Amino acid sequence: MNNFSTCKALVISLLVFNLFRVSLASVVSTGDFNKDFFVMWAPDHVNTSSDGRERSLKLDQESGSGFASNQMFLFGRIDMQIKLVPGNSAGTVLAYYLASDQPNLDEIDFEFLGNVSGEPYIVQTNIYVNGFDNREERIYLWFDPTEDYHTYSILWNLHQIVFMVDSIPIRLYRNHADKGVAYPRWQPMSIKTSLWNGDTWATRGGLDKIDWSESPFIASFKDYTIDACVWKGNPRFCRADSSANWWNRPGFSTLTRDQKRWFKWVRKYHMVYDYCQDNQRFQNNLPKECFLPKY
């Protein structure tokens, strides 16, 4: 074999190897909670179906509960079907989120704030970057989330973070790092859920406390999908432009026309609180991202 052929074969081998490494970075979940997650808190308050396809968390006066993914991820999309705590759930908080578990914490949060019977459920979203948060938004859900399962999704890529409810975008956080706005883009995160007592703040600012006579409080999960880049110790595999890392492609750098329409609908009719409109809290010095485009 001449030198040209040898070099060509070497280049092809390296390309195949790198593609293989990148393809290993993407995972499609098994759908079995026992295989993809571990119980991180109060195993006697976590119940899993015999086939591993459904799981519930319990909160009572003894304890809350929670579980977390075995793997950590850097970018991707996570979908989880959840049925929230029914009845008088005031004071309870169900959290479903991504977290980096580092001192300079990165976190992408869904928090479902319990309600007094008959009142709409509030969803709070928040984003921590390098240990700092103060980026809360709240919306009322437009349906009863305790009657059936609904899909709650996080799309996290190099361009944006999108929170979705049944595929409807309810919140965007754009990557404006080039303009000095902090964005979670280096730390891998695991998927976590927990059900706990938040009655010092969760419902009407802590005015409505948990009624323990209504316990145990149960939240249920099923039919999750994890399509994300598994952390292997080097962020470049998760940032690579490849078919495996589909979420980083230009087509997912912003919302589609229909998504923008739904997003505006949520903001107009269901928004409860937006930190970017709270001048009093920030003493008329709103964070920089509040003045930059969302898409």
Side-chain angles (χ1 to χ4, degrees):
M1 182 180 292
N2 58 35
N3 289 337
F4 175 77
S5 299
T6 301
C7 289
K8 183 178 179 181
L10 180 60
V11 169
I12 292 172
S13 296
L14 287 172
L15 286 172
V16 170
F17 174 74
N18 284 329
L19 285 172
F20 178 68
R21 289 290 300 272
V22 169
S23 68
L24 286 177
S26 184
V27 63
V28 176
S29 50
T30 67
D32 186 336
F33 283 99
N34 292 320
K35 293 180 179 179
D36 292 332
F37 295 88
F38 68 94
V39 175
M40 63 178 181
W41 179 22
D44 60 340
H45 283 53
V46 179
N47 184 57
T48 307
S49 63
S50 58
D51 61 2
R53 299 288 168 175
E54 298 185 23
R55 176 167 283 181
S56 63
L57 296 180
K58 180 171 73 173
L59 167 66
D60 57 22
Q61 284 184 284
E62 178 185 337
S63 180
S65 52
F67 60 88
S69 62
N70 295 322
Q71 301 274 15
M72 301 192 80
F73 310 95
L74 184 64
F75 307 127
R77 174 166 171 157
I78 315 298
D79 304 287
M80 183 79 73
Q81 289 198 17
I82 306 174
K83 184 160 62 173
L84 301 186
V85 176
N88 181 7
S89 58
T92 68
V93 178
L94 176 65
Y96 157 55
Y97 59 107
L98 304 176
S100 67
D101 296 330
Q102 299 295 322
N104 55 330
L105 177 72
D106 283 354
E107 195 168 291
I108 302 171
D109 297 346
F110 269 107
E111 291 179 310
F112 304 93
L113 310 183
N115 63 329
V116 175
S117 296
E119 294 297 318
Y121 239 101
I122 288 178
V123 177
Q124 174 171 285
T125 57
N126 199 1
I127 296 170
Y128 288 72
V129 189
N130 294 324
F132 295 97
D133 61 337
N134 293 329
R135 300 179 179 90
E136 300 93 343
E137 291 188 4
R138 292 184 176 186
I139 66 160
Y140 282 130
L141 288 174
W142 50 93
F143 53 84
D144 184 347
T146 71
E147 290 185 344
D148 203 352
Y149 288 89
H150 292 266
T151 303
Y152 302 90
S153 308
I154 296 170
L155 172 67
W156 170 37
N157 61 31
L158 286 168
H159 314 288
Q160 61 180 350
I161 296 167
V162 186
F163 295 81
M164 290 171 278
V165 177
D166 292 335
S167 297
I168 293 176
I170 64 167
R171 180 176 184 176
L172 305 178
Y173 186 80
R174 189 143 198 85
N175 184 354
H176 287 299
D178 60 335
K179 298 178 177 64
V181 177
Y183 187 84
R185 55 196 173 122
W186 297 108
Q187 296 187 59
M189 297 194 243
S190 58
I191 306 163
K192 297 186 176 183
T193 69
S194 59
L195 179 59
W196 46 283
N197 177 0
D199 71 2
T200 59
W201 65 275
T203 309
R204 291 205 307 139
L207 294 177
D208 294 320
K209 303 297 185 182
I210 288 182
D211 181 356
W212 292 111
S213 69
E214 300 280 342
S215 69
F217 302 100
I218 306 291
S220 304
F221 306 80
K222 69 173 187 176
D223 294 343
Y224 65 89
T225 303
I226 305 168
D227 195 353
C229 182
V230 178
W231 179 249
K232 300 294 184 181
N234 189 332
R236 74 185 181 89
F237 295 116
C238 296
R239 303 168 74 88
D241 183 10
S242 73
S243 58
N245 298 342
W246 58 264
W247 45 82
N248 284 331
R249 291 181 168 183
F252 298 94
S253 65
T254 189
L255 299 184
T256 66
R257 181 179 299 178
D258 284 344
Q259 285 176 324
K260 289 176 183 177
R261 180 170 56 84
W262 281 112
F263 177 68
K264 291 176 181 177
W265 174 79
V266 170
R267 309 287 288 188
K268 182 176 181 179
Y269 295 106
H270 299 280
M271 176 67 72
V272 177
Y273 175 81
D274 179 358
Y275 75 107
C276 278
Q277 297 178 9
D278 196 341
N279 279 294
Q280 181 178 357
R281 175 184 179 183
F282 292 99
Q283 300 180 342
N284 294 316
N285 188 25
L286 293 173
K288 186 180 294 185
E289 65 266 21
C290 296
F291 303 98
L292 295 171
K294 290 189 180 296
Y295 47 74

